Amino acid sequence: MLIEKTKVQPEVLEAVVIRFVGDSGDGMQLTGTQFSDTSAMFGNDIATFPNYPSEIRAPQGSLYGVSGFQVHIGSVEVSTPGDNLDLLVAMNPAGLKTNLYAVKPGHTIIVDTDSFTKKNLEKAQYDTNPLEDGSLNNYRVIEVSMTSLTKEALKDLQGLDNKSITRSKNMFALGMVYWMYDRSADHTIEFFNKKFKSKPELIEANTKVLNAGYFFAETLELIPNAYTISPAKMPEGTYRIIMGNTATAWGFLAAAEKSGMELFLGSYPITPATDILHELVKHKHFGVKAFQAEDEIAGISSAIGAAFAGDLAITTTSGPGLALKGEALGLAMMLELPLVVVNVQRGGPSTGLPTKTEQSDLLQALYGRNGESPVIVIAASTPSNCFNFAYAAAKLALEHMTPVVLLTDGYIANGSAPWKIQTVNDMPDINNNVVKEYQEGWHPYTRNEETLARNWAIPGTPGLEHRVGGLEKDKVTGDVSYVPDNHEYMVKIRAEKIKRVENNIPKLTTEFADEGDLLVVGWGGTYGALHTAVKELNIAGYKNIGYAHFNYINPLPRNTEEVFKRFKKIIVCELNNGQFVQVLRMRIPSLQYLQFNKIQGLPFGNSELMDEFKKQVD
C-alpha cells in the first residue's frame, strides 16, 4: 500500500492523453496497460493504442525500434486514443524524437536523462542534446535520472542482477504518473503479487521502485499539484477493460454456447491475430477445440472439416494469411458450409507493416477467390464490439450456410476499451439448418425458402449420406454436375443467398444529422475517430454534417442509397487508398463520392478529419 502524504487538492480535468515511449525492452506496453487498467478501475472511460515495432527486439536506441503505448482517459465519452498529448514519457532520445510532434505546446514531457548519452543521441540522429539546445523551450520538461534513482531505490535488495534492476525503471515512471493524475497504485501492486508469486524479490523490487517514483513526483517543484479525472457516467452494469482480440474470442465462445455447438479453431499464428488463438486455448473447459496448424492452408482446411462434422468452425489470420486461405475459402463457399474467417488487417502488401494498422484487405475479402465466389463480409468497429460482431458472424454463418469474413484491424484488435459484460441469455437466438433425421424426399441441396440456406446433414446420421467437394453440384441431389444450365443456376442461387442476408441485418442509420450538406462515411475500425470528429464539429455549430458507419459490407444495408441521397456531398474515409469507395461506386453508381485516405500505419487523427470536413462544407 502507498502511504498517502498531504498535498494540494488535485485540479479536476475532463480528459487527458498520455503516451509512454521507449525501447522494446523498456516495458512501455506493460506500463501503459497498468495505467489504463487502474484508470478503468477508478471508473474513467478509456481508449488505448499500443504501437510497437515489428522486430521482436529492435536495435536498442534506434528510431524504428521505439515502442509506445497511448491512453486517453476521461470523465466524458472517450472514443479514440486521442490526438495531441498532454503528457509524453520518453525513456530515451529516440522515443522523444519520434513522438515530440504529438505533444501540445506548453504541456509536459518526462525524460530519463540517464539515457541521453552521446551514443544514444547519435542513434536518434540528434546533432545536439535537445535537453540543452533550447529546442524544448515550448514544453514543460521534467528531467529525471530514472535509471540512477531506480538503482538507488534497490541498492539494499539482494538477489537481483544489474539488468533486472535497470529494467524496473518503467515502474519509476509509472509511479510518477500515478501521482500526477491522482491514481492509486494498489491495482498494480496486486498485479505484482499475482505475476511474480514465485519470485518475491521481484514483487519487492517493483513495488519499491513504483513507490519511489510516486514520492519523487510529489517532491518536484515542476509538478506543483496533481490532476484528477472524475469517473465517467456510463450505463449501469458490470464493466471490464477488454482488448479487441479477446473480445473476438469471447464472442465466438458465446455463439457456441448459444447455438449448442462445440467451437473449433484451426489457425496458424500471425501478427496481429495470434492473441485470438491464445485466448481460445484457455477455454477447453467450454468444449473449445483449438488446433495450431502447420500453415495457413491447413488451418482453414481443418476448420472446413470441422464444419462438415457439425462444429461451429472458425479460422483466424491477417492479410498474407487470407491470401493463402483464398482457395479453401472458395471451397467452403462451394460446399455451402458455415465457416467464419477472421482477418485482423495490418499494413501491406506482403509482410508490409506487421504491427501497424490498415484497412487494405477489403477488396481481397470481397473478391479474392477464383470464379463467382460471394461470401458475407462484416467488420467490427471498436475493441469492445468485436464481441458482438464475432457473435454476429457466427450467427450469420450458421443460419445462412455460408462462409463469413469478419474484418477487424491491428488498431482495435490490440486496443482496449470498457466493455459491459453480457450474458449468453442477453444474446439473440442462433438457429441452424441441421437435419436431425431422414425424411422422405430429403436432398442435401434442398433450400430454406426464405434464406436459401441448404440443409446441413451431419456425417453419421442414418439416411443422410451425401457427397461434397469442389466440383459443381446438382441443384437438388448434390451430385457432380457439368450441365451448363445447372451451373448458371447454382452460381445465381449462391449469389442470391448472400443478397438475401440484407433482410437479416440492421438498416443503415446516421448520427448527428439525418440530412444535410455532408455525410461522412466510414467502415470498420475507423469508427472512434470519425464519430468524435463529427461530434466535435456538431458541438462547434456544424449541424449539417451527418455520419454513417458500415459494419455490414456484403451485402450492404438495403436502405444505403436512400440514406445517401439525403446529403449533398458524401465523403468516404478509409485507412487505405480507396477500396470501400470503389465498392460504393460500383453498387450505387448514380451518386458522386469524395474520399479521404490515410496509409501511414496509423489511425486517423481528429484534427486532420475536422479540417477536411470543414473544408468540404465551407
Side-chain angles (χ1 to χ4, degrees):
M1 295 284 290
L2 285 170
I3 302 170
E4 292 293 334
K5 292 188 175 183
T6 304
K7 61 184 177 185
V8 179
Q9 188 67 24
E11 179 185 343
V12 179
L13 301 177
E14 201 172 64
V16 67
V17 181
I18 302 168
R19 186 182 296 174
F20 302 90
V21 294
D23 273 324
S24 296
D26 285 338
M28 295 297 93
Q29 304 302 317
L30 174 63
T31 306
T33 300
Q34 285 301 307
F35 185 83
S36 303
D37 289 351
T38 295
S39 299
M41 296 280 284
F42 184 71
N44 298 132
D45 198 2
I46 77 163
T48 70
F49 178 44
N51 191 3
Y52 45 88
S54 304
E55 293 82 356
I56 294 173
R57 186 60 60 88
Q60 201 167 18
S62 63
L63 292 173
Y64 65 88
V66 174
S67 176
F69 190 104
Q70 183 166 316
V71 56
H72 185 186
I73 64 173
S75 59
V76 293
E77 179 192 32
V78 171
S79 299
T80 76
D83 242 0
N84 298 320
L85 306 178
D86 298 287
L87 171 65
L88 173 67
V89 179
M91 305 300 282
N92 63 6
L96 176 65
K97 184 160 193 176
T98 53
N99 292 275
L100 181 61
Y101 73 92
V103 185
K104 298 174 185 174
H107 283 252
T108 306
I109 301 170
I110 298 176
V111 296
D112 178 11
T113 55
D114 289 332
S115 69
F116 279 68
T117 63
K118 182 180 178 181
K119 183 178 180 181
N120 282 343
L121 288 168
E122 289 175 353
K123 286 183 179 180
Q125 300 175 19
Y126 274 116
D127 296 325
T128 58
N129 190 335
L131 303 181
E132 300 171 354
D133 62 11
S135 60
L136 301 179
N137 288 347
N138 286 337
Y139 307 95
R140 181 171 67 170
V141 181
I142 302 174
E143 301 182 22
V144 185
S145 302
M146 283 190 215
T147 305
S148 301
L149 290 168
T150 297
K151 291 179 178 179
E152 178 67 22
L154 301 179
K155 64 182 180 180
D156 298 325
L157 190 64
Q158 303 297 316
L160 286 183
D161 56 29
N162 188 61
K163 184 178 180 181
S164 298
I165 290 172
T166 303
R167 286 178 65 184
S168 302
K169 65 183 179 181
N170 63 325
M171 289 300 113
F172 194 97
L174 181 60
M176 290 186 66
V177 179
Y178 275 159
W179 189 88
M180 287 179 65
Y181 292 100
D182 198 31
R183 311 279 98 165
S184 167
D186 289 352
H187 173 79
T188 298
I189 294 172
E190 184 181 341
F191 168 79
F192 295 154
N193 289 325
K194 290 180 180 177
K195 182 175 179 63
F196 305 121
K197 188 176 181 180
S198 61
K199 297 179 179 179
E201 69 278 6
L202 291 180
I203 297 174
E204 184 179 359
N206 282 284
T207 303
K208 275 191 171 184
V209 176
L210 186 70
N211 285 334
Y214 186 94
F215 291 128
F216 180 82
E218 190 178 39
T219 65
L220 283 177
E221 293 183 2
L222 282 169
I223 313 178
N225 64 292
Y227 306 97
T228 192
I229 296 91
S230 301
K233 295 178 181 178
M234 296 182 176
E236 188 175 341
T238 303
Y239 288 81
R240 64 153 287 161
I241 292 298
I242 197 166
M243 287 177 57
N245 275 338
T246 304
T248 300
W250 288 11
F252 289 126
L253 288 171
E257 180 71 18
K258 191 73 171 184
S259 64
M261 294 181 165
E262 291 190 345
L263 179 63
F264 178 91
L265 168 64
S267 185
Y268 180 73
I270 184 171
T271 302
T274 308
D275 285 338
I276 303 172
L277 170 62
H278 291 166
E279 182 62 30
L280 286 176
V281 164
K282 301 175 185 176
H283 299 289
K284 293 179 181 178
H285 53 287
F286 284 137
V288 176
K289 292 170 283 191
F291 168 56
Q292 181 174 319
E294 65 269 28
D295 56 38
E296 295 283 3
I297 299 170
I300 187 172
S301 297
S302 65
I304 292 172
F308 178 62
D311 280 357
L312 170 54
I314 63 174
T315 185
T316 56
T317 193
S318 190
L322 185 63
L324 289 167
K325 293 180 189 292
E327 181 182 4
L329 181 53
L331 173 62
M333 190 283 307
M334 191 70 163
L335 297 173
E336 297 188 57
L337 282 172
L339 172 72
V340 180
V341 180
V342 182
N343 179 20
V344 186
Q345 299 169 97
R346 70 191 208 189
S350 187
T351 307
L353 303 173
T355 61
K356 311 302 180 185
T357 196
E358 206 163 273
Q359 290 184 299
S360 53
D361 294 344
L362 178 62
L363 294 180
Q364 182 182 202
L366 289 168
Y367 307 117
R369 295 164 297 282
N370 67 297
E372 299 289 343
S373 185
V375 298
I376 298 171
V377 178
I378 67 176
S381 49
T382 68
S384 56
N385 79 18
C386 284
F387 175 91
N388 301 86
F389 285 102
Y391 187 95
K395 177 178 168 68
L396 289 170
L398 292 171
E399 293 185 347
H400 295 269
M401 289 296 288
T402 188
V404 176
V405 177
L406 169 61
L407 297 173
T408 69
D409 59 59
Y411 164 52
I412 61 173
N414 292 317
S416 56
W419 173 64
K420 185 177 178 181
I421 295 174
Q422 304 177 53
T423 69
V424 173
N425 292 334
D426 296 331
M427 308 302 292
D429 290 336
I430 296 178
N431 302 310
N432 60 55
N433 295 276
V434 174
V435 181
K436 302 293 185 182
E437 59 184 16
Y438 174 78
Q439 294 180 355
E440 189 68 32
W442 175 84
H443 291 290
Y445 281 80
T446 301
R447 299 181 181 276
N448 180 292
E449 291 184 3
E450 180 183 347
T451 65
L452 298 180
R454 77 168 181 89
N455 290 314
W456 191 5
I458 309 301
T461 308
L464 301 186
E465 296 83 3
H466 63 289
R467 62 186 298 180
V468 296
L471 293 171
E472 185 58 278
K473 314 286 181 297
D474 179 82
K475 62 184 179 183
V476 177
T477 66
D479 294 335
V480 174
S481 172
Y482 295 107
V483 176
D485 289 345
N486 179 80
H487 174 56
E488 183 167 329
Y489 173 86
M490 290 296 280
V491 166
K492 290 183 176 179
I493 204 74
R494 289 188 290 256
E496 177 63 21
K497 181 173 71 167
I498 301 302
K499 186 179 185 307
R500 289 194 186 186
V501 172
E502 69 183 18
N503 299 319
N504 298 98
I505 59 175
K507 287 186 175 182
L508 183 65
T509 58
T510 60
E511 296 184 66
F512 309 111
D514 292 329
E515 58 184 6
D517 291 338
L518 180 67
L519 178 66
V520 175
V521 172
W523 68 274
T526 56
Y527 173 79
L530 296 171
H531 166 87
T532 301
V534 178
K535 177 184 175 183
E536 291 185 8
L537 285 173
N538 235 258
I539 293 171
Y542 288 83
K543 304 295 184 183
N544 53 349
I545 302 178
Y547 175 45
H549 196 82
F550 285 81
N551 296 108
Y552 296 91
I553 296 171
N554 194 39
L556 293 171
R558 60 186 181 277
N559 66 326
T560 299
E561 184 173 2
E562 172 192 332
V563 171
F564 282 6
K565 286 183 174 179
R566 299 178 196 152
F567 293 84
K568 296 176 182 176
K569 291 183 179 180
I570 301 166
I571 184 166
V572 184
C573 305
E574 307 177 70
L575 298 178
N576 58 43
N577 206 27
Q579 296 192 13
F580 187 50
V581 74
Q582 290 185 47
V583 174
L584 293 173
R585 285 171 179 151
M586 284 190 296
R587 299 189 186 177
I588 312 175
S590 59
L591 301 176
Q592 297 294 313
Y593 303 92
L594 303 168
Q595 58 188 89
F596 185 71
N597 304 101
K598 182 175 181 177
I599 324 165
Q600 301 174 12
L602 296 169
F604 284 124
N606 278 13
S607 56
E608 63 186 343
L609 292 170
M610 292 173 69
D611 289 346
E612 178 66 22
F613 301 157
K614 283 191 285 188
K615 184 176 75 175
Q616 293 299 336
V617 296
D618 289 343

